[in-house]
Amino acid sequence: MANFMDVARHKPHGKSLLGGAMIIAGTTVGAGMFSLPVVGAGMWFGYSILMLLGVWFCMLMSGLLLLETNLHFEPGASFDTLTRVTLGQFWRIVNGVSIAFVLYILTYAYISGGSSIVNHSLQGIGISLPQSVAGLIFALLLASVVLISTRAVDRITTVMLGGMIITFFLAIGNLLLEIDTSKLFIPDGQASYAPYLWAALPFGLASFGYHGNVPSLVKYYGKEPATIIKALCIGTFIALIIYLCWLVATMGNISRVQFGDVIAQGGNMGVLVAALSEVISSHWLNNMLTLFANLAVASSFLGVTLGLFDYLADLFGFDDSSQGRLKTAAVTFLPPTVLGLLFPDGFLVAIGFAALAATIWAVIVPALMAYKARRLFPESGGFRVAGGTPLILLVMLFGLVTAACHLLAMADILPVFG
């Protein structure tokens, strides 16, 4: 702890290691975590832990490979610039399309998840709405925040993150105290676990998406690889610990057979929270869990849509005037909101598609860029990820296998639990 604080204190201009680590952890952890116990129900606890450890390692390595490439450029160079210079126009277009697709599909996922958890919350006070209507209300309220200004998003997200931390530890802390270890280690249901790992792999990948922040950290810290490496390692490790606690809390309280019922009802956020609410004896702690779920999906929605809003404003050349922001808001929010009205229970499906596209820009492209950068800058004495070409090949293989798993699961070739 002393060494950690020494590093933090001696960062120039007050740019602490802790700040960078929190940026990574805050970006990584979000509403997507609600998919992990649902898609992990088939392989259950042991294999879920193994999968998360493997995914965490590969996603950390892909982030470090991206950092290695980024450090050959001036601080402030965007993902788009890195791809264009190292891989050319084709990969620049592929990467740009995949990023835009991920942002759009995640916006829809969070509208779906938001409609589910808002509906669950309203039912708790005796109000019943069609889920599509709840999704529309959720989208309109939060879209108005993004429309107002980036500062509004910043301030509201800061409050939400604080609330998330408090409500998470209150609710999850209680669930951890109430776990039944037999549910974790002697699960009920069919004695088949490992085959379900493959279909769950894309959801694990989607839970460790932070790569868009790597160029931001290079811009923030400058060319200080040691600090950024520590920020990536600490931030992603914090996310890993939170996910592990979440799996213990959920799988230690809801049996494997009960998860089958959750999946049968669509596996959306509100269904999972409702199942957990049944095992929490305290009404107050029940409210904390529901509040945490609301804050998690709302902050995730704001973070993703702000990035999509800025991306589309730049792409279409819309200015920052009231009329320009209204045009940007229309192309940002209308497509996913309409999709949310038509298909209100698509949370898990959308997260899976987001993972499919993320294999390109968060895994395969960083590996390809690092491979090419080592040939473009052979005399560079800067940071290089250990492991050489074999590590690059491992990361690429991880991305390809994950993408293949999603496609095979969609084609009903891989077994899916529930």
Short mmCIF file of all heavy atoms in Angstrom, two decimals, residues 81-148:
data_model
loop_
_atom_site.label_atom_id
_atom_site.label_comp_id
_atom_site.label_asym_id
_atom_site.label_seq_id
_atom_site.Cartn_x
_atom_site.Cartn_y
_atom_site.Cartn_z
N THR A 81 -6.83 7.10 -35.81
CA THR A 81 -5.51 7.42 -36.35
C THR A 81 -4.57 6.22 -36.26
O THR A 81 -3.84 5.91 -37.21
CB THR A 81 -4.89 8.61 -35.58
OG1 THR A 81 -5.76 9.74 -35.69
CG2 THR A 81 -3.52 8.96 -36.12
N LEU A 82 -4.58 5.54 -35.12
CA LEU A 82 -3.70 4.38 -34.93
C LEU A 82 -3.99 3.31 -35.98
O LEU A 82 -3.07 2.73 -36.57
CB LEU A 82 -3.89 3.79 -33.53
CG LEU A 82 -3.75 4.69 -32.32
CD1 LEU A 82 -3.89 3.89 -31.03
CD2 LEU A 82 -2.42 5.42 -32.33
N THR A 83 -5.27 3.05 -36.21
CA THR A 83 -5.66 2.02 -37.16
C THR A 83 -5.28 2.41 -38.59
O THR A 83 -4.75 1.58 -39.34
CB THR A 83 -7.19 1.77 -37.09
OG1 THR A 83 -7.58 1.64 -35.74
CG2 THR A 83 -7.57 0.52 -37.85
N ARG A 84 -5.52 3.66 -38.95
CA ARG A 84 -5.23 4.11 -40.31
C ARG A 84 -3.74 4.03 -40.62
O ARG A 84 -3.35 3.54 -41.69
CB ARG A 84 -5.72 5.55 -40.49
CG ARG A 84 -5.37 6.17 -41.84
CD ARG A 84 -5.99 7.55 -41.99
NE ARG A 84 -5.69 8.42 -40.86
CZ ARG A 84 -4.53 9.08 -40.73
NH1 ARG A 84 -3.58 8.96 -41.64
NH2 ARG A 84 -4.33 9.87 -39.68
N VAL A 85 -2.91 4.47 -39.70
CA VAL A 85 -1.46 4.51 -39.95
C VAL A 85 -0.84 3.11 -39.96
O VAL A 85 -0.01 2.79 -40.80
CB VAL A 85 -0.75 5.40 -38.91
CG1 VAL A 85 0.77 5.31 -39.06
CG2 VAL A 85 -1.22 6.85 -39.05
N THR A 86 -1.28 2.25 -39.02
CA THR A 86 -0.64 0.94 -38.90
C THR A 86 -1.24 -0.11 -39.84
O THR A 86 -0.50 -0.94 -40.40
CB THR A 86 -0.74 0.41 -37.46
OG1 THR A 86 -2.12 0.37 -37.07
CG2 THR A 86 0.04 1.29 -36.50
N LEU A 87 -2.55 -0.08 -40.06
CA LEU A 87 -3.20 -1.16 -40.81
C LEU A 87 -3.82 -0.72 -42.13
O LEU A 87 -4.21 -1.56 -42.93
CB LEU A 87 -4.29 -1.80 -39.94
CG LEU A 87 -3.83 -2.44 -38.62
CD1 LEU A 87 -5.02 -3.01 -37.86
CD2 LEU A 87 -2.79 -3.53 -38.86
N GLY A 88 -3.95 0.59 -42.35
CA GLY A 88 -4.49 1.06 -43.61
C GLY A 88 -5.98 1.36 -43.58
O GLY A 88 -6.66 1.15 -42.57
N GLN A 89 -6.48 1.82 -44.73
CA GLN A 89 -7.85 2.32 -44.83
C GLN A 89 -8.90 1.23 -44.60
O GLN A 89 -9.93 1.48 -43.97
CB GLN A 89 -8.06 2.97 -46.20
CG GLN A 89 -9.37 3.73 -46.36
CD GLN A 89 -9.44 4.97 -45.50
OE1 GLN A 89 -8.43 5.43 -44.96
NE2 GLN A 89 -10.62 5.54 -45.35
N PHE A 90 -8.65 0.02 -45.11
CA PHE A 90 -9.63 -1.06 -44.96
C PHE A 90 -9.91 -1.34 -43.49
O PHE A 90 -11.08 -1.37 -43.06
CB PHE A 90 -9.14 -2.33 -45.65
CG PHE A 90 -10.01 -3.53 -45.37
CD1 PHE A 90 -11.23 -3.70 -46.01
CD2 PHE A 90 -9.61 -4.49 -44.43
CE1 PHE A 90 -12.04 -4.80 -45.74
CE2 PHE A 90 -10.41 -5.59 -44.16
CZ PHE A 90 -11.62 -5.74 -44.82
N TRP A 91 -8.88 -1.56 -42.71
CA TRP A 91 -9.05 -1.87 -41.30
C TRP A 91 -9.56 -0.65 -40.53
O TRP A 91 -10.26 -0.80 -39.52
CB TRP A 91 -7.75 -2.38 -40.69
CG TRP A 91 -7.53 -3.83 -40.97
CD1 TRP A 91 -6.67 -4.37 -41.87
CD2 TRP A 91 -8.23 -4.92 -40.37
NE1 TRP A 91 -6.76 -5.74 -41.87
CE2 TRP A 91 -7.72 -6.11 -40.95
CE3 TRP A 91 -9.23 -5.02 -39.41
CZ2 TRP A 91 -8.19 -7.37 -40.60
CZ3 TRP A 91 -9.69 -6.28 -39.04
CH2 TRP A 91 -9.16 -7.44 -39.63
N ARG A 92 -9.22 0.55 -41.01
CA ARG A 92 -9.77 1.75 -40.38
C ARG A 92 -11.30 1.76 -40.50
O ARG A 92 -12.00 2.05 -39.52
CB ARG A 92 -9.19 2.99 -41.06
CG ARG A 92 -9.74 4.30 -40.52
CD ARG A 92 -9.41 5.46 -41.44
NE ARG A 92 -9.87 6.72 -40.90
CZ ARG A 92 -9.92 7.85 -41.59
NH1 ARG A 92 -9.52 7.88 -42.86
NH2 ARG A 92 -10.36 8.96 -41.04
N ILE A 93 -11.81 1.41 -41.67
CA ILE A 93 -13.27 1.39 -41.89
C ILE A 93 -13.91 0.27 -41.07
O ILE A 93 -14.93 0.46 -40.40
CB ILE A 93 -13.58 1.22 -43.39
CG1 ILE A 93 -13.14 2.46 -44.16
CG2 ILE A 93 -15.08 0.97 -43.60
CD1 ILE A 93 -13.20 2.31 -45.66
N VAL A 94 -13.30 -0.93 -41.12
CA VAL A 94 -13.83 -2.07 -40.37
C VAL A 94 -13.88 -1.75 -38.88
O VAL A 94 -14.88 -2.01 -38.19
CB VAL A 94 -12.96 -3.33 -40.61
CG1 VAL A 94 -13.34 -4.44 -39.63
CG2 VAL A 94 -13.11 -3.81 -42.04
N ASN A 95 -12.81 -1.15 -38.38
CA ASN A 95 -12.73 -0.80 -36.96
C ASN A 95 -13.78 0.26 -36.59
O ASN A 95 -14.47 0.15 -35.57
CB ASN A 95 -11.33 -0.29 -36.63
CG ASN A 95 -11.09 -0.19 -35.14
OD1 ASN A 95 -11.08 -1.18 -34.43
ND2 ASN A 95 -10.89 1.03 -34.66
N GLY A 96 -13.92 1.28 -37.46
CA GLY A 96 -14.90 2.33 -37.20
C GLY A 96 -16.32 1.81 -37.18
O GLY A 96 -17.13 2.17 -36.31
N VAL A 97 -16.63 0.93 -38.14
CA VAL A 97 -17.98 0.35 -38.21
C VAL A 97 -18.25 -0.50 -36.98
O VAL A 97 -19.35 -0.47 -36.40
CB VAL A 97 -18.15 -0.48 -39.50
CG1 VAL A 97 -19.43 -1.29 -39.45
CG2 VAL A 97 -18.14 0.43 -40.72
N SER A 98 -17.25 -1.28 -36.55
CA SER A 98 -17.45 -2.16 -35.40
C SER A 98 -17.66 -1.34 -34.13
O SER A 98 -18.49 -1.70 -33.28
CB SER A 98 -16.27 -3.12 -35.23
OG SER A 98 -15.09 -2.44 -34.86
N ILE A 99 -16.92 -0.23 -33.97
CA ILE A 99 -17.10 0.63 -32.80
C ILE A 99 -18.51 1.23 -32.79
O ILE A 99 -19.20 1.22 -31.77
CB ILE A 99 -16.04 1.74 -32.76
CG1 ILE A 99 -14.66 1.15 -32.46
CG2 ILE A 99 -16.39 2.79 -31.71
CD1 ILE A 99 -13.52 2.15 -32.54
N ALA A 100 -18.93 1.76 -33.95
CA ALA A 100 -20.27 2.36 -34.04
C ALA A 100 -21.35 1.32 -33.74
O ALA A 100 -22.33 1.60 -33.04
CB ALA A 100 -20.48 2.96 -35.42
N PHE A 101 -21.16 0.10 -34.26
CA PHE A 101 -22.14 -0.96 -34.03
C PHE A 101 -22.23 -1.31 -32.55
O PHE A 101 -23.32 -1.48 -32.00
CB PHE A 101 -21.77 -2.21 -34.83
CG PHE A 101 -22.72 -3.36 -34.63
CD1 PHE A 101 -23.94 -3.40 -35.30
CD2 PHE A 101 -22.41 -4.38 -33.75
CE1 PHE A 101 -24.82 -4.45 -35.10
CE2 PHE A 101 -23.30 -5.43 -33.54
CZ PHE A 101 -24.50 -5.46 -34.22
N VAL A 102 -21.07 -1.43 -31.90
CA VAL A 102 -21.05 -1.74 -30.46
C VAL A 102 -21.78 -0.67 -29.67
O VAL A 102 -22.59 -0.97 -28.78
CB VAL A 102 -19.60 -1.89 -29.94
CG1 VAL A 102 -19.57 -1.90 -28.41
CG2 VAL A 102 -18.97 -3.17 -30.47
N LEU A 103 -21.52 0.60 -29.98
CA LEU A 103 -22.17 1.69 -29.24
C LEU A 103 -23.69 1.68 -29.45
O LEU A 103 -24.47 1.87 -28.51
CB LEU A 103 -21.58 3.03 -29.66
CG LEU A 103 -20.11 3.27 -29.28
CD1 LEU A 103 -19.61 4.58 -29.86
CD2 LEU A 103 -19.92 3.26 -27.78
N TYR A 104 -24.11 1.45 -30.69
CA TYR A 104 -25.55 1.39 -30.98
C TYR A 104 -26.23 0.21 -30.29
O TYR A 104 -27.29 0.34 -29.67
CB TYR A 104 -25.79 1.30 -32.49
CG TYR A 104 -26.13 2.61 -33.16
CD1 TYR A 104 -25.39 3.07 -34.24
CD2 TYR A 104 -27.20 3.38 -32.72
CE1 TYR A 104 -25.69 4.28 -34.87
CE2 TYR A 104 -27.52 4.58 -33.34
CZ TYR A 104 -26.77 5.02 -34.41
OH TYR A 104 -27.09 6.23 -35.02
N ILE A 105 -25.62 -0.97 -30.40
CA ILE A 105 -26.27 -2.17 -29.86
C ILE A 105 -26.27 -2.13 -28.33
O ILE A 105 -27.20 -2.63 -27.69
CB ILE A 105 -25.60 -3.45 -30.40
CG1 ILE A 105 -26.56 -4.65 -30.29
CG2 ILE A 105 -24.30 -3.76 -29.69
CD1 ILE A 105 -27.74 -4.60 -31.22
N LEU A 106 -25.23 -1.52 -27.73
CA LEU A 106 -25.23 -1.38 -26.27
C LEU A 106 -26.29 -0.38 -25.82
O LEU A 106 -26.91 -0.55 -24.76
CB LEU A 106 -23.85 -0.95 -25.77
CG LEU A 106 -22.78 -2.04 -25.71
CD1 LEU A 106 -21.46 -1.46 -25.21
CD2 LEU A 106 -23.21 -3.20 -24.80
N THR A 107 -26.50 0.67 -26.62
CA THR A 107 -27.57 1.62 -26.28
C THR A 107 -28.91 0.90 -26.25
O THR A 107 -29.71 1.08 -25.32
CB THR A 107 -27.61 2.77 -27.32
OG1 THR A 107 -26.35 3.45 -27.31
CG2 THR A 107 -28.71 3.76 -27.00
N TYR A 108 -29.15 0.06 -27.26
CA TYR A 108 -30.38 -0.73 -27.27
C TYR A 108 -30.43 -1.69 -26.07
O TYR A 108 -31.47 -1.85 -25.41
CB TYR A 108 -30.51 -1.52 -28.57
CG TYR A 108 -31.47 -2.68 -28.46
CD1 TYR A 108 -32.83 -2.46 -28.26
CD2 TYR A 108 -31.02 -4.00 -28.52
CE1 TYR A 108 -33.72 -3.51 -28.13
CE2 TYR A 108 -31.90 -5.06 -28.40
CZ TYR A 108 -33.25 -4.82 -28.19
OH TYR A 108 -34.11 -5.85 -28.06
N ALA A 109 -29.28 -2.34 -25.76
CA ALA A 109 -29.24 -3.28 -24.63
C ALA A 109 -29.61 -2.58 -23.33
O ALA A 109 -30.36 -3.13 -22.51
CB ALA A 109 -27.84 -3.89 -24.52
N TYR A 110 -29.11 -1.37 -23.15
CA TYR A 110 -29.38 -0.66 -21.90
C TYR A 110 -30.80 -0.10 -21.86
O TYR A 110 -31.37 0.06 -20.78
CB TYR A 110 -28.35 0.44 -21.68
CG TYR A 110 -26.94 -0.10 -21.51
CD1 TYR A 110 -25.82 0.59 -21.99
CD2 TYR A 110 -26.73 -1.33 -20.90
CE1 TYR A 110 -24.55 0.07 -21.84
CE2 TYR A 110 -25.46 -1.86 -20.76
CZ TYR A 110 -24.37 -1.16 -21.23
OH TYR A 110 -23.11 -1.67 -21.09
N ILE A 111 -31.39 0.19 -23.02
CA ILE A 111 -32.81 0.56 -23.05
C ILE A 111 -33.65 -0.65 -22.65
O ILE A 111 -34.60 -0.54 -21.86
CB ILE A 111 -33.22 1.08 -24.43
CG1 ILE A 111 -32.58 2.46 -24.69
CG2 ILE A 111 -34.74 1.19 -24.55
CD1 ILE A 111 -32.78 2.99 -26.09
N SER A 112 -33.29 -1.82 -23.18
CA SER A 112 -33.99 -3.05 -22.82
C SER A 112 -33.83 -3.36 -21.33
O SER A 112 -34.81 -3.63 -20.62
CB SER A 112 -33.47 -4.22 -23.66
OG SER A 112 -34.01 -5.45 -23.22
N GLY A 113 -32.57 -3.31 -20.85
CA GLY A 113 -32.33 -3.57 -19.44
C GLY A 113 -32.99 -2.52 -18.56
O GLY A 113 -33.53 -2.84 -17.50
N GLY A 114 -32.94 -1.25 -19.01
CA GLY A 114 -33.56 -0.17 -18.26
C GLY A 114 -35.05 -0.33 -18.15
O GLY A 114 -35.66 -0.11 -17.10
N SER A 115 -35.70 -0.74 -19.26
CA SER A 115 -37.15 -0.93 -19.24
C SER A 115 -37.53 -2.03 -18.26
O SER A 115 -38.52 -1.93 -17.54
CB SER A 115 -37.66 -1.28 -20.65
OG SER A 115 -37.21 -2.57 -21.05
N SER A 116 -36.70 -3.09 -18.21
CA SER A 116 -36.98 -4.22 -17.33
C SER A 116 -36.85 -3.83 -15.86
O SER A 116 -37.72 -4.14 -15.05
CB SER A 116 -36.01 -5.36 -17.66
OG SER A 116 -36.20 -6.45 -16.78
N ILE A 117 -35.77 -3.12 -15.52
CA ILE A 117 -35.55 -2.78 -14.12
C ILE A 117 -36.47 -1.65 -13.67
O ILE A 117 -36.92 -1.62 -12.52
CB ILE A 117 -34.05 -2.44 -13.86
CG1 ILE A 117 -33.77 -2.45 -12.35
CG2 ILE A 117 -33.65 -1.13 -14.46
CD1 ILE A 117 -33.98 -3.78 -11.68
N VAL A 118 -36.80 -0.71 -14.57
CA VAL A 118 -37.75 0.36 -14.23
C VAL A 118 -39.13 -0.26 -13.98
O VAL A 118 -39.83 0.11 -13.02
CB VAL A 118 -37.82 1.42 -15.35
CG1 VAL A 118 -39.04 2.32 -15.18
CG2 VAL A 118 -36.54 2.27 -15.36
N ASN A 119 -39.50 -1.20 -14.82
CA ASN A 119 -40.78 -1.89 -14.65
C ASN A 119 -40.84 -2.62 -13.31
O ASN A 119 -41.84 -2.57 -12.59
CB ASN A 119 -41.00 -2.87 -15.80
CG ASN A 119 -42.45 -2.97 -16.20
OD1 ASN A 119 -43.28 -2.15 -15.81
ND2 ASN A 119 -42.77 -3.98 -16.97
N HIS A 120 -39.74 -3.31 -12.99
CA HIS A 120 -39.66 -4.02 -11.70
C HIS A 120 -39.78 -3.04 -10.53
O HIS A 120 -40.47 -3.31 -9.54
CB HIS A 120 -38.34 -4.78 -11.61
CG HIS A 120 -38.05 -5.34 -10.25
ND1 HIS A 120 -38.71 -6.44 -9.73
CD2 HIS A 120 -37.18 -4.93 -9.28
CE1 HIS A 120 -38.27 -6.69 -8.52
NE2 HIS A 120 -37.33 -5.79 -8.21
N SER A 121 -39.12 -1.88 -10.66
CA SER A 121 -39.15 -0.87 -9.59
C SER A 121 -40.56 -0.32 -9.42
O SER A 121 -41.03 -0.13 -8.29
CB SER A 121 -38.17 0.27 -9.91
OG SER A 121 -36.86 -0.22 -10.11
N LEU A 122 -41.24 -0.04 -10.53
CA LEU A 122 -42.59 0.52 -10.46
C LEU A 122 -43.60 -0.48 -9.88
O LEU A 122 -44.51 -0.11 -9.15
CB LEU A 122 -43.04 0.98 -11.85
CG LEU A 122 -42.31 2.19 -12.44
CD1 LEU A 122 -42.76 2.45 -13.87
CD2 LEU A 122 -42.53 3.43 -11.58
N GLN A 123 -43.38 -1.76 -10.21
CA GLN A 123 -44.27 -2.78 -9.67
C GLN A 123 -44.17 -2.86 -8.16
O GLN A 123 -45.13 -3.21 -7.47
CB GLN A 123 -43.94 -4.14 -10.30
CG GLN A 123 -44.42 -4.27 -11.73
CD GLN A 123 -43.92 -5.54 -12.40
OE1 GLN A 123 -43.22 -6.33 -11.80
NE2 GLN A 123 -44.29 -5.72 -13.67
N GLY A 124 -42.97 -2.50 -7.64
CA GLY A 124 -42.77 -2.51 -6.20
C GLY A 124 -43.61 -1.47 -5.48
O GLY A 124 -43.85 -1.58 -4.27
N ILE A 125 -44.06 -0.43 -6.21
CA ILE A 125 -44.92 0.60 -5.60
C ILE A 125 -46.34 0.55 -6.18
O ILE A 125 -47.09 1.52 -6.11
CB ILE A 125 -44.31 2.01 -5.76
CG1 ILE A 125 -44.07 2.33 -7.24
CG2 ILE A 125 -43.03 2.14 -4.96
CD1 ILE A 125 -43.61 3.77 -7.48
N GLY A 126 -46.66 -0.59 -6.81
CA GLY A 126 -48.02 -0.82 -7.27
C GLY A 126 -48.37 -0.22 -8.62
O GLY A 126 -49.55 -0.11 -8.97
N ILE A 127 -47.35 0.16 -9.42
CA ILE A 127 -47.60 0.72 -10.76
C ILE A 127 -47.18 -0.31 -11.80
O ILE A 127 -46.07 -0.83 -11.75
CB ILE A 127 -46.83 2.03 -10.98
CG1 ILE A 127 -47.25 3.09 -9.96
CG2 ILE A 127 -47.05 2.56 -12.40
CD1 ILE A 127 -46.43 4.36 -10.01
N SER A 128 -48.04 -0.60 -12.74
CA SER A 128 -47.74 -1.57 -13.79
C SER A 128 -47.81 -0.90 -15.16
O SER A 128 -48.82 -0.28 -15.50
CB SER A 128 -48.72 -2.74 -13.72
OG SER A 128 -48.41 -3.70 -14.70
N LEU A 129 -46.71 -1.01 -15.91
CA LEU A 129 -46.64 -0.45 -17.26
C LEU A 129 -46.19 -1.52 -18.24
O LEU A 129 -45.45 -2.43 -17.87
CB LEU A 129 -45.62 0.70 -17.31
CG LEU A 129 -45.96 2.03 -16.66
CD1 LEU A 129 -44.77 2.97 -16.79
CD2 LEU A 129 -47.18 2.66 -17.30
N PRO A 130 -46.62 -1.45 -19.51
CA PRO A 130 -46.01 -2.31 -20.52
C PRO A 130 -44.51 -2.04 -20.58
O PRO A 130 -44.08 -0.89 -20.44
CB PRO A 130 -46.70 -1.87 -21.82
CG PRO A 130 -47.97 -1.21 -21.38
CD PRO A 130 -47.66 -0.58 -20.06
N GLN A 131 -43.72 -3.09 -20.77
CA GLN A 131 -42.26 -2.92 -20.72
C GLN A 131 -41.76 -1.96 -21.80
O GLN A 131 -40.81 -1.22 -21.58
CB GLN A 131 -41.56 -4.26 -20.84
CG GLN A 131 -40.08 -4.18 -20.49
CD GLN A 131 -39.53 -5.52 -20.06
OE1 GLN A 131 -40.11 -6.18 -19.21
NE2 GLN A 131 -38.41 -5.91 -20.63
N SER A 132 -42.41 -1.96 -22.95
CA SER A 132 -41.99 -1.05 -24.02
C SER A 132 -42.19 0.41 -23.61
O SER A 132 -41.38 1.28 -23.94
CB SER A 132 -42.76 -1.35 -25.30
OG SER A 132 -44.16 -1.27 -25.08
N VAL A 133 -43.26 0.69 -22.88
CA VAL A 133 -43.53 2.05 -22.41
C VAL A 133 -42.49 2.45 -21.37
O VAL A 133 -41.98 3.58 -21.37
CB VAL A 133 -44.95 2.16 -21.82
CG1 VAL A 133 -45.18 3.55 -21.21
CG2 VAL A 133 -45.99 1.87 -22.89
N ALA A 134 -42.15 1.52 -20.46
CA ALA A 134 -41.12 1.78 -19.46
C ALA A 134 -39.78 2.08 -20.14
O ALA A 134 -39.04 2.97 -19.72
CB ALA A 134 -40.97 0.59 -18.52
N GLY A 135 -39.49 1.36 -21.23
CA GLY A 135 -38.25 1.60 -21.98
C GLY A 135 -38.24 2.96 -22.63
O GLY A 135 -37.21 3.64 -22.67
N LEU A 136 -39.39 3.38 -23.15
CA LEU A 136 -39.49 4.70 -23.78
C LEU A 136 -39.25 5.81 -22.76
O LEU A 136 -38.53 6.77 -23.03
CB LEU A 136 -40.87 4.85 -24.43
CG LEU A 136 -41.13 6.18 -25.16
CD1 LEU A 136 -40.14 6.36 -26.32
CD2 LEU A 136 -42.57 6.23 -25.66
N ILE A 137 -39.85 5.68 -21.58
CA ILE A 137 -39.66 6.67 -20.52
C ILE A 137 -38.19 6.73 -20.10
O ILE A 137 -37.61 7.81 -19.96
CB ILE A 137 -40.56 6.34 -19.31
CG1 ILE A 137 -42.03 6.49 -19.69
CG2 ILE A 137 -40.22 7.23 -18.11
CD1 ILE A 137 -42.99 5.96 -18.62
N PHE A 138 -37.60 5.56 -19.91
CA PHE A 138 -36.18 5.47 -19.54
C PHE A 138 -35.30 6.18 -20.57
O PHE A 138 -34.44 6.99 -20.23
CB PHE A 138 -35.79 3.99 -19.41
CG PHE A 138 -34.32 3.75 -19.17
CD1 PHE A 138 -33.80 3.76 -17.89
CD2 PHE A 138 -33.47 3.47 -20.24
CE1 PHE A 138 -32.45 3.53 -17.67
CE2 PHE A 138 -32.11 3.24 -20.03
CZ PHE A 138 -31.60 3.26 -18.74
N ALA A 139 -35.53 5.87 -21.86
CA ALA A 139 -34.70 6.44 -22.93
C ALA A 139 -34.88 7.95 -23.03
O ALA A 139 -33.90 8.70 -23.18
CB ALA A 139 -35.05 5.78 -24.26
N LEU A 140 -36.12 8.43 -22.96
CA LEU A 140 -36.39 9.86 -23.10
C LEU A 140 -35.76 10.67 -21.97
O LEU A 140 -35.16 11.73 -22.20
CB LEU A 140 -37.89 10.12 -23.15
CG LEU A 140 -38.61 9.69 -24.43
CD1 LEU A 140 -40.12 9.90 -24.29
CD2 LEU A 140 -38.08 10.46 -25.64
N LEU A 141 -35.88 10.18 -20.73
CA LEU A 141 -35.33 10.90 -19.58
C LEU A 141 -33.81 11.03 -19.69
O LEU A 141 -33.25 12.12 -19.52
CB LEU A 141 -35.70 10.18 -18.29
CG LEU A 141 -37.15 10.36 -17.79
CD1 LEU A 141 -37.39 9.48 -16.57
CD2 LEU A 141 -37.42 11.83 -17.47
N LEU A 142 -33.13 9.93 -19.98
CA LEU A 142 -31.67 9.97 -20.01
C LEU A 142 -31.14 10.61 -21.30
O LEU A 142 -30.09 11.25 -21.28
CB LEU A 142 -31.11 8.56 -19.84
CG LEU A 142 -31.36 7.96 -18.45
CD1 LEU A 142 -30.85 6.53 -18.38
CD2 LEU A 142 -30.70 8.80 -17.35
N ALA A 143 -31.88 10.46 -22.40
CA ALA A 143 -31.45 11.12 -23.64
C ALA A 143 -31.48 12.63 -23.48
O ALA A 143 -30.63 13.34 -24.03
CB ALA A 143 -32.36 10.70 -24.79
N SER A 144 -32.43 13.13 -22.70
CA SER A 144 -32.50 14.58 -22.47
C SER A 144 -31.28 15.08 -21.73
O SER A 144 -30.83 16.21 -21.95
CB SER A 144 -33.78 14.92 -21.70
OG SER A 144 -33.76 14.35 -20.41
N VAL A 145 -30.70 14.25 -20.86
CA VAL A 145 -29.48 14.64 -20.14
C VAL A 145 -28.32 14.78 -21.12
O VAL A 145 -27.56 15.75 -21.09
CB VAL A 145 -29.14 13.61 -19.05
CG1 VAL A 145 -27.81 13.97 -18.37
CG2 VAL A 145 -30.24 13.53 -18.02
N VAL A 146 -28.19 13.80 -22.02
CA VAL A 146 -27.11 13.85 -23.03
C VAL A 146 -27.31 15.04 -23.96
O VAL A 146 -26.35 15.71 -24.35
CB VAL A 146 -27.08 12.54 -23.85
CG1 VAL A 146 -25.99 12.61 -24.92
CG2 VAL A 146 -26.84 11.35 -22.92
N LEU A 147 -28.56 15.33 -24.30
CA LEU A 147 -28.88 16.44 -25.19
C LEU A 147 -28.49 17.78 -24.57
O LEU A 147 -28.01 18.68 -25.28
CB LEU A 147 -30.38 16.43 -25.52
CG LEU A 147 -30.90 17.52 -26.45
CD1 LEU A 147 -30.22 17.45 -27.81
CD2 LEU A 147 -32.41 17.38 -26.62
N ILE A 148 -28.64 17.92 -23.27
CA ILE A 148 -28.34 19.20 -22.60
C ILE A 148 -26.86 19.55 -22.77
O ILE A 148 -26.52 20.60 -23.31
CB ILE A 148 -28.73 19.13 -21.11
CG1 ILE A 148 -30.25 19.04 -20.97
CG2 ILE A 148 -28.20 20.36 -20.36
CD1 ILE A 148 -30.71 18.70 -19.58
#
